[in-house]
Short mmCIF file of all heavy atoms in Angstrom, two decimals:
data_model
loop_
_atom_site.label_atom_id
_atom_site.label_comp_id
_atom_site.label_asym_id
_atom_site.label_seq_id
_atom_site.Cartn_x
_atom_site.Cartn_y
_atom_site.Cartn_z
N THR N 1 0.83 -1.20 0.00
CA THR N 1 0.00 0.00 0.00
C THR N 1 0.87 1.25 0.00
O THR N 1 0.62 2.19 -0.75
CB THR N 1 -0.93 0.00 1.22
OG1 THR N 1 -1.69 -1.22 1.22
CG2 THR N 1 -1.88 1.17 1.20
N ARG N 2 1.89 1.26 0.84
CA ARG N 2 2.80 2.42 0.90
C ARG N 2 3.50 2.60 -0.45
O ARG N 2 3.64 3.72 -0.94
CB ARG N 2 3.82 2.24 2.01
CG ARG N 2 4.74 3.44 2.19
CD ARG N 2 5.75 3.22 3.30
NE ARG N 2 5.15 2.96 4.58
CZ ARG N 2 4.89 3.89 5.50
NH1 ARG N 2 5.18 5.14 5.25
NH2 ARG N 2 4.34 3.56 6.65
N GLN N 3 3.92 1.52 -1.07
CA GLN N 3 4.59 1.61 -2.37
C GLN N 3 3.64 2.16 -3.42
O GLN N 3 4.02 3.02 -4.21
CB GLN N 3 5.12 0.25 -2.80
CG GLN N 3 5.89 0.31 -4.11
CD GLN N 3 6.53 -1.01 -4.47
OE1 GLN N 3 6.65 -1.89 -3.65
NE2 GLN N 3 6.95 -1.14 -5.71
N LYS N 4 2.40 1.69 -3.44
CA LYS N 4 1.43 2.17 -4.43
C LYS N 4 1.15 3.65 -4.22
O LYS N 4 1.04 4.42 -5.18
CB LYS N 4 0.14 1.35 -4.34
CG LYS N 4 -0.89 1.72 -5.38
CD LYS N 4 -0.43 1.41 -6.78
CE LYS N 4 -1.52 1.69 -7.78
NZ LYS N 4 -1.10 1.48 -9.15
N ALA N 5 1.07 4.07 -2.96
CA ALA N 5 0.85 5.49 -2.66
C ALA N 5 1.99 6.33 -3.22
O ALA N 5 1.77 7.39 -3.82
CB ALA N 5 0.70 5.70 -1.16
N THR N 6 3.20 5.86 -3.04
CA THR N 6 4.37 6.57 -3.55
C THR N 6 4.34 6.63 -5.07
O THR N 6 4.62 7.68 -5.66
CB THR N 6 5.67 5.89 -3.07
OG1 THR N 6 5.66 5.85 -1.64
CG2 THR N 6 6.89 6.62 -3.55
N GLU N 7 3.98 5.52 -5.72
CA GLU N 7 3.89 5.49 -7.18
C GLU N 7 2.88 6.50 -7.70
O GLU N 7 3.06 7.08 -8.77
CB GLU N 7 3.49 4.09 -7.65
CG GLU N 7 4.57 3.05 -7.51
CD GLU N 7 4.07 1.65 -7.81
OE1 GLU N 7 2.91 1.49 -8.29
OE2 GLU N 7 4.83 0.69 -7.57
N LEU N 8 1.81 6.71 -6.92
CA LEU N 8 0.76 7.65 -7.34
C LEU N 8 1.08 9.09 -6.95
O LEU N 8 0.27 9.99 -7.20
CB LEU N 8 -0.58 7.23 -6.73
CG LEU N 8 -1.17 5.93 -7.26
CD1 LEU N 8 -2.37 5.49 -6.43
CD2 LEU N 8 -1.56 6.07 -8.73
N GLY N 9 2.22 9.30 -6.31
CA GLY N 9 2.61 10.65 -5.92
C GLY N 9 1.93 11.13 -4.65
O GLY N 9 1.84 12.34 -4.41
N LEU N 10 1.45 10.19 -3.85
CA LEU N 10 0.78 10.55 -2.60
C LEU N 10 1.76 10.47 -1.44
O LEU N 10 2.53 9.52 -1.33
CB LEU N 10 -0.39 9.59 -2.33
CG LEU N 10 -1.51 9.58 -3.36
CD1 LEU N 10 -2.47 8.44 -3.07
CD2 LEU N 10 -2.24 10.91 -3.33
N SER N 11 1.70 11.44 -0.58
CA SER N 11 2.49 11.42 0.65
C SER N 11 1.49 11.34 1.80
O SER N 11 0.99 12.36 2.28
CB SER N 11 3.35 12.69 0.75
OG SER N 11 4.09 12.66 1.94
N LEU N 12 1.16 10.11 2.19
CA LEU N 12 0.12 9.90 3.19
C LEU N 12 0.70 9.81 4.59
O LEU N 12 1.84 9.38 4.79
CB LEU N 12 -0.66 8.63 2.87
CG LEU N 12 -1.38 8.62 1.52
CD1 LEU N 12 -2.04 7.26 1.30
CD2 LEU N 12 -2.40 9.73 1.44
N GLU N 13 -0.11 10.20 5.56
CA GLU N 13 0.28 10.11 6.96
C GLU N 13 0.28 8.65 7.39
O GLU N 13 -0.43 7.81 6.82
CB GLU N 13 -0.70 10.91 7.81
CG GLU N 13 -0.70 12.39 7.47
CD GLU N 13 -1.83 13.15 8.13
OE1 GLU N 13 -2.69 12.52 8.81
OE2 GLU N 13 -1.88 14.38 7.96
N ASP N 14 1.05 8.35 8.44
CA ASP N 14 1.12 6.97 8.94
C ASP N 14 -0.25 6.46 9.37
O ASP N 14 -0.57 5.30 9.15
CB ASP N 14 2.10 6.87 10.12
CG ASP N 14 3.54 6.85 9.65
OD1 ASP N 14 3.79 6.51 8.47
OD2 ASP N 14 4.42 7.16 10.47
N THR N 15 -1.07 7.31 9.98
CA THR N 15 -2.39 6.85 10.42
C THR N 15 -3.24 6.42 9.23
O THR N 15 -3.97 5.44 9.32
CB THR N 15 -3.12 7.94 11.23
OG1 THR N 15 -3.16 9.15 10.47
CG2 THR N 15 -2.44 8.20 12.55
N THR N 16 -3.13 7.15 8.14
CA THR N 16 -3.88 6.80 6.93
C THR N 16 -3.39 5.47 6.38
O THR N 16 -4.20 4.60 6.01
CB THR N 16 -3.73 7.91 5.86
OG1 THR N 16 -4.15 9.15 6.42
CG2 THR N 16 -4.55 7.59 4.63
N LEU N 17 -2.07 5.27 6.34
CA LEU N 17 -1.52 4.01 5.85
C LEU N 17 -1.90 2.85 6.76
O LEU N 17 -2.12 1.73 6.29
CB LEU N 17 0.00 4.13 5.71
CG LEU N 17 0.45 5.06 4.58
CD1 LEU N 17 1.93 5.38 4.71
CD2 LEU N 17 0.14 4.46 3.22
N GLN N 18 -2.01 3.09 8.06
CA GLN N 18 -2.43 2.03 8.98
C GLN N 18 -3.88 1.63 8.71
O GLN N 18 -4.21 0.45 8.76
CB GLN N 18 -2.25 2.47 10.43
CG GLN N 18 -0.81 2.53 10.85
CD GLN N 18 -0.63 3.15 12.24
OE1 GLN N 18 -1.58 3.62 12.84
NE2 GLN N 18 0.60 3.16 12.71
N VAL N 19 -4.72 2.61 8.45
CA VAL N 19 -6.12 2.30 8.11
C VAL N 19 -6.17 1.45 6.85
O VAL N 19 -6.88 0.44 6.79
CB VAL N 19 -6.94 3.60 7.94
CG1 VAL N 19 -8.29 3.33 7.29
CG2 VAL N 19 -7.13 4.29 9.28
N LEU N 20 -5.40 1.83 5.84
CA LEU N 20 -5.38 1.07 4.59
C LEU N 20 -4.83 -0.34 4.78
O LEU N 20 -5.28 -1.27 4.12
CB LEU N 20 -4.53 1.81 3.54
CG LEU N 20 -5.16 3.06 2.95
CD1 LEU N 20 -4.13 3.84 2.15
CD2 LEU N 20 -6.37 2.72 2.11
N SER N 21 -3.90 -0.50 5.71
CA SER N 21 -3.30 -1.83 5.92
C SER N 21 -4.30 -2.83 6.48
O SER N 21 -4.11 -4.03 6.38
CB SER N 21 -2.08 -1.73 6.84
OG SER N 21 -2.47 -1.44 8.16
N ARG N 22 -5.39 -2.34 7.08
CA ARG N 22 -6.41 -3.23 7.64
C ARG N 22 -7.43 -3.66 6.59
O ARG N 22 -8.29 -4.50 6.87
CB ARG N 22 -7.12 -2.56 8.81
CG ARG N 22 -6.23 -2.30 10.00
CD ARG N 22 -7.02 -1.86 11.21
NE ARG N 22 -7.83 -0.69 10.97
CZ ARG N 22 -7.52 0.54 11.36
NH1 ARG N 22 -6.40 0.76 11.99
NH2 ARG N 22 -8.33 1.55 11.13
N LEU N 23 -7.35 -3.08 5.42
CA LEU N 23 -8.32 -3.37 4.36
C LEU N 23 -7.72 -4.32 3.34
O LEU N 23 -6.51 -4.42 3.22
CB LEU N 23 -8.73 -2.06 3.67
CG LEU N 23 -9.36 -0.99 4.55
CD1 LEU N 23 -9.55 0.29 3.77
CD2 LEU N 23 -10.68 -1.46 5.12
N PRO N 24 -8.57 -5.00 2.57
CA PRO N 24 -8.05 -5.83 1.48
C PRO N 24 -7.26 -4.98 0.49
O PRO N 24 -7.60 -3.82 0.24
CB PRO N 24 -9.31 -6.39 0.82
CG PRO N 24 -10.39 -6.27 1.84
CD PRO N 24 -10.03 -5.08 2.68
N LEU N 25 -6.19 -5.54 -0.06
CA LEU N 25 -5.30 -4.80 -0.94
C LEU N 25 -6.05 -4.19 -2.13
O LEU N 25 -5.82 -3.04 -2.49
CB LEU N 25 -4.15 -5.70 -1.42
CG LEU N 25 -3.12 -5.03 -2.31
CD1 LEU N 25 -2.45 -3.86 -1.60
CD2 LEU N 25 -2.09 -6.03 -2.78
N ARG N 26 -6.94 -4.95 -2.73
CA ARG N 26 -7.68 -4.45 -3.89
C ARG N 26 -8.48 -3.19 -3.53
O ARG N 26 -8.49 -2.21 -4.27
CB ARG N 26 -8.62 -5.53 -4.42
CG ARG N 26 -9.29 -5.14 -5.71
CD ARG N 26 -10.17 -6.22 -6.27
NE ARG N 26 -9.84 -7.54 -5.76
CZ ARG N 26 -10.59 -8.60 -5.89
NH1 ARG N 26 -11.73 -8.53 -6.52
NH2 ARG N 26 -10.24 -9.77 -5.41
N ILE N 27 -9.11 -3.19 -2.36
CA ILE N 27 -9.89 -2.03 -1.90
C ILE N 27 -8.95 -0.86 -1.61
O ILE N 27 -9.22 0.28 -1.97
CB ILE N 27 -10.71 -2.40 -0.64
CG1 ILE N 27 -11.68 -3.55 -0.94
CG2 ILE N 27 -11.41 -1.19 -0.08
CD1 ILE N 27 -12.72 -3.26 -1.98
N SER N 28 -7.81 -1.16 -0.97
CA SER N 28 -6.83 -0.11 -0.65
C SER N 28 -6.33 0.58 -1.91
O SER N 28 -6.21 1.81 -1.95
CB SER N 28 -5.65 -0.69 0.12
OG SER N 28 -6.04 -1.17 1.37
N VAL N 29 -6.04 -0.20 -2.94
CA VAL N 29 -5.52 0.38 -4.18
C VAL N 29 -6.58 1.27 -4.83
O VAL N 29 -6.27 2.36 -5.31
CB VAL N 29 -5.06 -0.74 -5.15
CG1 VAL N 29 -4.77 -0.18 -6.54
CG2 VAL N 29 -3.82 -1.43 -4.59
N LYS N 30 -7.84 0.84 -4.81
CA LYS N 30 -8.92 1.68 -5.37
C LYS N 30 -9.02 2.99 -4.60
O LYS N 30 -9.20 4.05 -5.19
CB LYS N 30 -10.25 0.93 -5.34
CG LYS N 30 -10.36 -0.14 -6.39
CD LYS N 30 -11.71 -0.82 -6.34
CE LYS N 30 -11.78 -1.93 -7.39
NZ LYS N 30 -13.06 -2.61 -7.40
N MET N 31 -8.88 2.91 -3.28
CA MET N 31 -8.95 4.12 -2.47
C MET N 31 -7.76 5.03 -2.74
O MET N 31 -7.91 6.26 -2.77
CB MET N 31 -9.02 3.75 -0.98
CG MET N 31 -10.34 3.16 -0.58
SD MET N 31 -10.38 2.82 1.18
CE MET N 31 -11.92 1.94 1.29
N LEU N 32 -6.60 4.45 -2.95
CA LEU N 32 -5.42 5.25 -3.27
C LEU N 32 -5.59 5.97 -4.61
O LEU N 32 -5.21 7.13 -4.76
CB LEU N 32 -4.16 4.38 -3.29
CG LEU N 32 -3.66 3.91 -1.93
CD1 LEU N 32 -2.55 2.88 -2.12
CD2 LEU N 32 -3.18 5.07 -1.09
N GLU N 33 -6.15 5.27 -5.58
CA GLU N 33 -6.38 5.88 -6.89
C GLU N 33 -7.37 7.03 -6.78
O GLU N 33 -7.19 8.09 -7.39
CB GLU N 33 -6.83 4.83 -7.89
CG GLU N 33 -5.73 3.85 -8.26
CD GLU N 33 -6.20 2.62 -9.02
OE1 GLU N 33 -7.44 2.38 -9.11
OE2 GLU N 33 -5.33 1.89 -9.53
N SER N 34 -8.41 6.85 -5.97
CA SER N 34 -9.37 7.93 -5.74
C SER N 34 -8.72 9.10 -5.01
O SER N 34 -9.00 10.26 -5.30
CB SER N 34 -10.56 7.43 -4.92
OG SER N 34 -11.29 6.47 -5.64
N ALA N 35 -7.84 8.78 -4.08
CA ALA N 35 -7.14 9.83 -3.34
C ALA N 35 -6.22 10.63 -4.25
O ALA N 35 -6.08 11.84 -4.10
CB ALA N 35 -6.34 9.22 -2.19
N ALA N 36 -5.59 9.95 -5.22
CA ALA N 36 -4.73 10.65 -6.18
C ALA N 36 -5.56 11.61 -7.02
O ALA N 36 -5.14 12.74 -7.28
CB ALA N 36 -4.01 9.64 -7.06
N THR N 37 -6.76 11.17 -7.41
CA THR N 37 -7.65 12.05 -8.17
C THR N 37 -8.06 13.23 -7.31
O THR N 37 -8.05 14.38 -7.77
CB THR N 37 -8.90 11.27 -8.63
OG1 THR N 37 -8.48 10.17 -9.44
CG2 THR N 37 -9.85 12.16 -9.41
N ALA N 38 -8.40 12.97 -6.05
CA ALA N 38 -8.79 14.04 -5.14
C ALA N 38 -7.66 15.04 -4.95
O ALA N 38 -7.88 16.25 -4.90
CB ALA N 38 -9.22 13.45 -3.79
N GLN N 39 -6.43 14.52 -4.88
CA GLN N 39 -5.28 15.39 -4.69
C GLN N 39 -5.08 16.32 -5.89
O GLN N 39 -4.77 17.49 -5.73
CB GLN N 39 -4.01 14.57 -4.46
CG GLN N 39 -2.76 15.39 -4.26
CD GLN N 39 -1.57 14.55 -3.87
OE1 GLN N 39 -1.50 14.09 -2.75
NE2 GLN N 39 -0.66 14.34 -4.81
N THR N 40 -5.30 15.79 -7.10
CA THR N 40 -5.15 16.63 -8.29
C THR N 40 -6.22 17.71 -8.34
O THR N 40 -6.02 18.75 -8.96
CB THR N 40 -5.21 15.79 -9.59
OG1 THR N 40 -6.47 15.13 -9.66
CG2 THR N 40 -4.07 14.82 -9.67
N GLU N 41 -7.33 17.47 -7.65
CA GLU N 41 -8.41 18.46 -7.58
C GLU N 41 -8.25 19.39 -6.39
O GLU N 41 -9.14 20.19 -6.09
CB GLU N 41 -9.76 17.74 -7.53
CG GLU N 41 -10.05 16.95 -8.79
CD GLU N 41 -11.28 16.06 -8.68
OE1 GLU N 41 -11.87 15.97 -7.58
OE2 GLU N 41 -11.64 15.45 -9.69
N GLY N 42 -7.13 19.26 -5.66
CA GLY N 42 -6.85 20.17 -4.56
C GLY N 42 -7.30 19.69 -3.19
O GLY N 42 -7.17 20.41 -2.21
N ALA N 43 -7.84 18.49 -3.10
CA ALA N 43 -8.32 17.96 -1.82
C ALA N 43 -7.19 17.23 -1.09
O ALA N 43 -6.20 16.83 -1.70
CB ALA N 43 -9.50 17.02 -2.04
N ASP N 44 -7.37 17.05 0.20
CA ASP N 44 -6.39 16.32 1.02
C ASP N 44 -6.58 14.82 0.78
O ASP N 44 -7.64 14.27 1.07
CB ASP N 44 -6.60 16.65 2.50
CG ASP N 44 -5.60 15.95 3.42
OD1 ASP N 44 -4.77 15.16 2.94
OD2 ASP N 44 -5.67 16.22 4.63
N PRO N 45 -5.55 14.13 0.25
CA PRO N 45 -5.70 12.70 -0.02
C PRO N 45 -5.91 11.87 1.25
O PRO N 45 -6.59 10.85 1.21
CB PRO N 45 -4.40 12.33 -0.72
CG PRO N 45 -3.42 13.38 -0.33
CD PRO N 45 -4.22 14.62 -0.11
N ASN N 46 -5.37 12.33 2.39
CA ASN N 46 -5.58 11.61 3.65
C ASN N 46 -7.06 11.59 4.01
O ASN N 46 -7.60 10.56 4.38
CB ASN N 46 -4.77 12.26 4.78
CG ASN N 46 -3.29 12.05 4.60
OD1 ASN N 46 -2.78 10.95 4.74
ND2 ASN N 46 -2.58 13.13 4.25
N LEU N 47 -7.71 12.76 3.91
CA LEU N 47 -9.13 12.83 4.23
C LEU N 47 -9.96 11.99 3.26
O LEU N 47 -10.93 11.34 3.67
CB LEU N 47 -9.61 14.28 4.22
CG LEU N 47 -9.05 15.18 5.31
CD1 LEU N 47 -9.52 16.61 5.13
CD2 LEU N 47 -9.41 14.66 6.68
#
């Protein structure tokens, strides 16, 4: 999950990465991709 976040240009907080680590990888990756889109639109990817 941390590696995928880095690949997408996301710099996520440890608490966010811990939340993602409790989820299935496929779901986590979808959430990371949505977060990358949110970041490009000016939103906080952690939120």
Side-chain angles (χ1 to χ4, degrees):
T1 304
R2 184 180 301 267
Q3 182 174 345
K4 183 65 176 177
T6 303
E7 288 172 8
L8 292 171
L10 298 171
S11 179
L12 299 177
E13 298 169 356
D14 282 338
T15 54
T16 304
L17 291 167
Q18 288 172 355
V19 167
L20 287 169
S21 71
R22 294 190 304 258
L23 300 173
L25 182 60
R26 187 178 339 167
I27 300 298
S28 295
V29 169
K30 285 182 182 180
M31 288 182 188
L32 287 171
E33 290 168 348
S34 295
T37 301
Q39 180 173 286
T40 60
E41 296 171 355
D44 181 357
N46 291 290
L47 293 176

